[in-house]
Amino acid sequence: MPMRIVAGVRQPCLELRPTSEIMNLEFPSPSSTPIKALHYKNDSLELKVLGNKFVNQGILFTGNQSMEEREESFKISDSMEVHCGFYGDDSIFRIEKEDRAYLDNCKAVVSTCNFGGGDDLYQPINMTLASLAKVCYVAFWDKITVEAQSLKGRVQDERKKIGHWRIIVVNNLPFSDQRLNGKIPKMLGHRLFPNARYSIWVDSKSQFRRDPMGVFEAMLWRTNSTFAISQHGARDCVYKEGEAIVKKHKATPEEVSIQLSQYRNEGFPEKARFNGHKALAEASVIIREHTTLTNLFMCVWFNEVTRFTARDQLSFPYVLLRLNFTNINMFPVCTRKAFVNSMGHVRKTKPIDVDTAA
């Protein structure tokens, strides 16, 4: 367990309950929320023909949210309707019926994804048998990843599992940018697991190494939170983060400029703060209860990512402050490192060939 110094005292970065107590943990009553009903826009968009090509599949999936609809999504009320992916075409981000039935039965989940064959699959470790009976482990793959992993001998068994991971193969991904496709299971888990109460997201470059029930207790229940995410380790300013992203060639100067100009014009501060801490986050691990408020947060965050850049750390603090989301645990980097072993990306992901993606 990684350690840190607090007020001159050496402490573990993550304090879990003893194993004997974790084995007996049960899910508590649902948390209260100011949103009584959250609905997702799901209209049928007509396919618009541009020459001989259909409109971009990403638009068919997201619903092409207007700026007026974007503004309304930040106004919390008893009943809300928002864009949240899966807009109208059931053939996009297609999951087989048997796999959907599996997802429907998950009450709590640890999930990851690997689209484009960029990473290997790392088995979770240090969980109790009791947690394995309560929590699903799900990895979303595309055909490219299935082929890449099979070459390394990682093939699904008769239960469609590789080790603890249940593999869900997705067809017809909506975006040519694999980073955006990866945001769907990362941010829209409440839509993929409609009956789940809790989830932990882990980026594919990481190995999850703690008991999930123990993590829910430590990061959510013990702190009276419904959402937990790591603080950013290097910076506290979204505009400086934008400069770093451009410098590292992780997004183009033009798209970062459009996004940050929008935020600056709306008066978003240089160094946004949340509960006395920096609001800039590192989102490789996300722990949350699926309440209507956290679901709204993820929908709005996803809409910002698909509207602007795939670098979700740029939009996180903006969405956090716009929604005035309070029941959130922003834990230090040290704690994140206690959750996962960071393996790094293995290879560059392959982009989608839109003519053969289906």
Side-chain angles (χ1 to χ4, degrees), residues 11-50:
Q11 299 178 353
C13 294
L14 174 64
E15 297 190 41
L16 295 178
R17 299 278 187 193
T19 300
S20 58
E21 294 183 18
I22 291 175
M23 291 178 65
N24 294 314
L25 287 173
E26 298 294 341
F27 300 121
S29 300
S31 299
S32 61
T33 171
I35 305 171
K36 305 308 179 186
L38 180 64
H39 305 285
Y40 307 120
K41 295 193 176 183
N42 187 28
D43 298 333
S44 296
L45 283 175
E46 292 184 5
L47 292 176
K48 300 177 181 179
V49 179
L50 304 175

Side-chain angles (χ1 to χ4, degrees), residues 101-170:
Y102 181 87
L103 302 182
D104 288 348
N105 286 325
C106 292
K107 303 302 181 184
V109 61
V110 177
S111 65
T112 189
C113 85
N114 182 3
F115 296 144
D119 290 315
D120 288 335
L121 184 67
Y122 305 108
Q123 291 299 322
I125 56 176
N126 294 328
M127 71 287 284
T128 63
L129 290 176
S131 285
L132 281 174
K134 298 171 184 172
V135 181
C136 301
Y137 287 83
V138 175
F140 293 92
W141 284 3
D142 60 359
K143 293 178 180 178
I144 297 173
T145 301
V146 171
E147 294 170 1
Q149 291 294 297
S150 65
L151 292 174
K152 295 190 173 186
R154 300 188 182 101
V155 180
Q156 302 169 56
D157 62 19
E158 67 281 359
R159 301 171 300 163
K160 295 191 174 182
K161 285 190 174 185
I162 299 177
H164 293 297
W165 293 108
R166 173 63 150 80
I167 307 300
I168 303 294
V169 179
V170 182

